[in-house]
Structure formats: structure tokens, C-alpha cells
Amino acid sequence: MINNYINVIGAGLAGCEAAYQIAKCGIPVHLYEMKPHKKSPAHHSNNFAELVCSNSLKAQRTSSAAGLLKEEMRQLDSLLLKCADKCMVPAGGALAVDRYIFSNLVTDAIRSMDNIEIISEEIKEIPTDAITVIATGPLTADDLCKNIIDMFGGSLSFFDAAAPIVTADSIDKEASFFQSRYDKGDGDDYINCPLNKEEYELFYKELISAERAPLHEFDVADPKVYEGCMPIEVMAQRGEDTIRFGPMKPVGLRDPRTGHRPWACLQLRRENAEGTMYNLVGFQTNLKFAEQKRVFGLIPALKNAEYVRYGVMHRNTFIDSPRVLNSDFSAKCNPDLFFAGQFTGVEGYMESASSGLMAGINAVRRFKGKETLTLPKETMIGALSRYITDESIVKFQPMGASFGLLPELSDRPRDKKLRGEKYAQRSLEVLDSFKLERL
């Protein structure tokens, strides 16, 4: 029997976005969240929409893939972006937030909606009492995960990592300087920690030989490590200059002490509105905590750093969406069951939220007996949903927003910036027309 409410399982980014989209249409929502009684290994707060790995929601400018995705979400009345815009912290051209204020804002917004009943309970089996959106995230609890795997005949998984956070007053000001790369932002959005050639070579040598933490509770005989969250020590093993042209690239920076570009440079991004904490950009890691302090302390600006949180590595699980999902995020085996978030194989905070937004919209349409929707292929949200459900993909791996997912432009400019602007213009025009016709 299908009741007169919709279930949403999980109050992360995707679940909160889905619950909001459903509730604002006047439909009751049963929002199940196992916090505070139980938390995944990567979660610490009792609040909803907890940002685990980073406080950055990626690029702001609409002419970037990540920025276009966010603008499309704004056009579709995203709750998450409303909250993000209220708690921004300086981050050059990126939209970064105070993660604690952000989570509080989302939690308060969801709790204040009359149509949402919050049920603090772990769901161990997929409900059959109502249309349901599963948004339990990449660390779905074991019992429910097993139930889903049994339903679909298997799942995939990969491992990703979070970067450490240090206190601002423990960063050596004499060995660091404020500057945004290419002077984007207000000039003091990032603290830069430069290294000369000798300092970098010592740091690199110790990094690749440092002791890593064991990965408990998982089968790690052959773990897949997702490229977008690759631990810095794993990346470094690809070659001595790999991280110097990656997270530690000095391009666009000038050390005021020397007047020259550093040999390598770690950037620290503000973690909270007060600027009392900074995270190590691109330094996701699985080193043991003592090793993180020792090895990262070889970077002169961090020699006396105090860690608010050490980096951790954990398993992320996702379903084989091309085989089991439709592009409207419904299950092929059950049109009343929708999935959203990283569990579907979209990668990134806002990518997850956008899937929750669309799963919520389609759950409403299903509830009302209307045809479900997939956004046009020219939009970033539509392209992502089509990619993760493309049956021609044999070895499915998570995907974030990218212009490579969009149909080619008929008049493709050679200039990358102009090309991004063209993609964005086309997408937003198509989305506006689609909304007028269908939403």
C-alpha cells in the first residue's frame, strides 16, 4: 500500500534537498536519519548536511562547470545553495562555507518545515509503505547497504580521504603569506606555505615513506582510490614532481620574501567565518596522525601547527547506476523507489545535492501521477543524470560536473573562458525554456 506521504532516507545533502523539494509542494515527508543514535566513521556532528571532506563547494563563476551546476540549482530553488550563500567564507573564486554554520542553517530549515516529520531511526531495509527516496550516502549503514546490494545484485566501492584542519594562530606567519592564485578574490583568501627546492625534496622523501593508517572493517585487498580525493601520499608516489604540479603548484603565486615564485607551495583555505581554522587544500591523506604532524611539519609554515582535525580515509560505496537506475533517479525495478546523492555515483557536494533536488521533484511528480522528468542534455544536471545511467558505460566510476558531459557547441570558441561562457549561456537558456514548458 502506498500511503499519502513520501519517505526520504538520510538527512545529508541529497536527502535534505529532496525533503525540501517534496515538502514545499505540500506533501508530507517522513525523513529518517540515524543520527544522533548512530554515525558513520566519517561523521561527527548531530546536524544534517554535514560536510565531511572539505568546506569548498567548488568554483563560483557560472562559466565553470561547477559554477554552472550551482546556477542551475539556484534556478530550481535549491535549499542548500540558499544556506551556502548565507555562510560564505573567502576562497578566491570558489564558493566555500563555514561548514558548521552551513549545517546548522540546513538543519534549522528542515526542522522548521511543517510538512517534514523527522524520525531518528536507522532504516535497515528499503521501505515499501510509500514512495521512497534513498539518500543514505557513500557510507550507507551495513544492513541497508546489504539490502540494496541484494536487490541489485552487487555494488561498487572506492576509497576517498579528507584533508587536515589546523588552527590559524599556529601557522607560522613569518614562513607564509596571504595571496589568492592569480590574485583572484580579495587577496587574503588563502594562506600560502612556500617551500624552496631543498625543503620540498626533504618533504617529498618523507611523505612517500611515511606510515599509513590501516583501513579497518573493509576488504582492502584491492581498494579503488577515487582520483578526485586521492591521498597526497598516493599521488606523490607517481613521481617527484606530481604534487608540485598538482596541489602544491606554485603557479600564479609570488613569495613576498623573495619576490619570486616558490619551488612548491601548499595553500590553506579558511575553514570558518571567524578565520580561526584553515584546511590544507588538496592534502587528503591516510597517514597515521603522528605521521601527519611529523611530515606536514616539514613545511616551514606548519612546523608548529596545531591540528583541529587530522586527515582520514574511508570507504565510499555507490551502486552500478547504469544498470539499475533510470535518468529520473528511479530504480528500473521499482518506479516508486528513487536514489540520490553520492550513492548513485555523482561525485561532489553540489552534484549530490542536485541529484537530491531532481529525485525530490520526481518523487512529487510520481506521487501526483505525473510523468517524471530528466532535465535537457544541454544542462549540467541533465547531463550528469544521463551519464550515471548510460548503459554503454562498462566500468562505471563516479563523475562530477564537467563540460565534457555536455553536447558540443555548434560554434565552439578556441578560448576556454569564452567556451565556458557559451556552454553556460546555452544551458541556462534551455533550462529556462524547459521550466516554462514543464515545471
Side-chain angles (χ1 to χ4, degrees), residues 413-438:
R414 295 176 63 89
D415 181 80
K416 185 177 180 180
K417 184 175 182 292
L418 290 176
R419 193 158 63 241
E421 291 172 354
K422 285 276 190 179
Y423 275 125
Q425 180 183 2
R426 181 182 69 178
S427 170
L428 296 175
E429 287 175 353
V430 169
L431 179 59
D432 189 53
S433 175
F434 184 86
K435 285 167 58 183
L436 289 173
E437 295 175 6
R438 307 291 295 274

Side-chain angles (χ1 to χ4, degrees), residues 86-365:
K86 292 178 181 177
C87 59
M88 294 171 55
V89 298
L95 172 57
V97 299
D98 181 313
R99 71 174 79 204
Y100 305 107
I101 297 177
F102 173 77
S103 185
N104 283 332
L105 288 171
V106 177
T107 303
D108 290 345
I110 292 296
R111 290 190 180 278
S112 69
M113 296 190 77
D114 293 336
N115 291 9
I116 299 179
E117 178 184 351
I118 298 166
I119 304 170
S120 298
E121 177 184 328
E122 179 186 353
I123 294 297
K124 297 186 177 183
E125 293 185 351
I126 297 172
T128 57
D129 61 330
I131 294 170
T132 296
V133 178
I134 303 288
T136 45
L139 289 172
T140 296
D142 291 345
D143 289 338
L144 180 58
C145 191
K146 184 179 184 304
N147 183 236
I148 294 169
I149 290 171
D150 289 344
M151 172 180 283
F152 294 135
S155 72
L156 302 173
S157 64
F158 66 98
F159 290 77
D160 76 358
I165 299 171
V166 299
T167 62
D169 59 8
S170 69
I171 301 164
D172 190 328
K173 304 304 187 293
E174 297 298 320
S176 61
F177 60 95
F178 283 97
Q179 187 189 350
S180 293
R181 189 170 277 120
Y182 302 111
D183 292 321
K184 291 182 178 179
D186 294 329
D188 61 351
D189 292 356
Y190 291 86
I191 295 178
N192 298 278
C193 307
L195 296 87
N196 60 33
K197 188 173 186 292
E198 293 72 25
E199 290 165 342
Y200 175 78
E201 289 174 348
L202 174 61
F203 167 74
Y204 174 79
K205 176 184 175 183
E206 295 301 316
L207 177 63
I208 61 173
S209 61
E211 189 174 2
R212 302 179 191 180
L215 294 172
H216 297 294
E217 302 176 13
F218 309 123
D219 177 7
V220 293
D222 184 26
K224 301 180 180 70
V225 179
Y226 178 57
E227 291 282 337
C229 282
M230 178 167 291
I232 189 69
E233 63 273 11
V234 175
M235 188 184 302
Q237 288 186 322
R238 294 181 169 182
E240 186 171 341
D241 287 328
T242 302
I243 59 174
R244 199 168 71 83
F245 289 97
M248 300 188 76
K249 66 182 179 183
V251 178
L253 298 171
R254 181 178 60 84
D255 187 342
R257 300 175 303 172
T258 65
H260 301 294
R261 185 173 74 182
W263 182 256
C265 190
L266 165 66
Q267 286 199 309
L268 309 180
R269 181 178 55 236
R270 189 181 296 192
E271 176 65 27
N272 62 345
E274 293 81 7
T276 59
M277 298 184 293
Y278 279 77
N279 65 60
L280 281 61
V281 179
F283 264 48
Q284 298 90 351
T285 182
N286 187 45
L287 296 183
K288 286 188 171 183
F289 291 174
E291 289 287 78
Q292 292 181 43
K293 188 173 182 64
R294 179 183 70 84
V295 176
F296 298 158
L298 295 173
I299 299 171
L302 299 182
K303 62 184 178 183
N304 296 314
E306 296 177 3
Y307 289 78
V308 176
R309 184 193 72 187
Y310 286 100
V312 293
M313 186 172 179
H314 52 83
R315 184 196 70 189
N316 276 354
T317 302
F318 57 95
I319 55 177
D320 191 4
S321 290
R323 256 55 66 186
V324 302
L325 291 187
N326 298 308
S327 60
D328 63 359
F329 294 97
S330 67
K332 291 181 178 180
C333 65
N334 182 356
D336 292 331
L337 178 62
F338 294 84
F339 285 82
Q342 282 188 253
F343 202 63
T344 67
V346 294
E347 191 283 316
Y349 288 144
M350 289 298 97
E351 288 85 347
S352 295
S354 72
S355 70
L357 186 154
M358 290 308 303
I361 288 174
N362 281 323
V364 169
R365 296 182 71 86

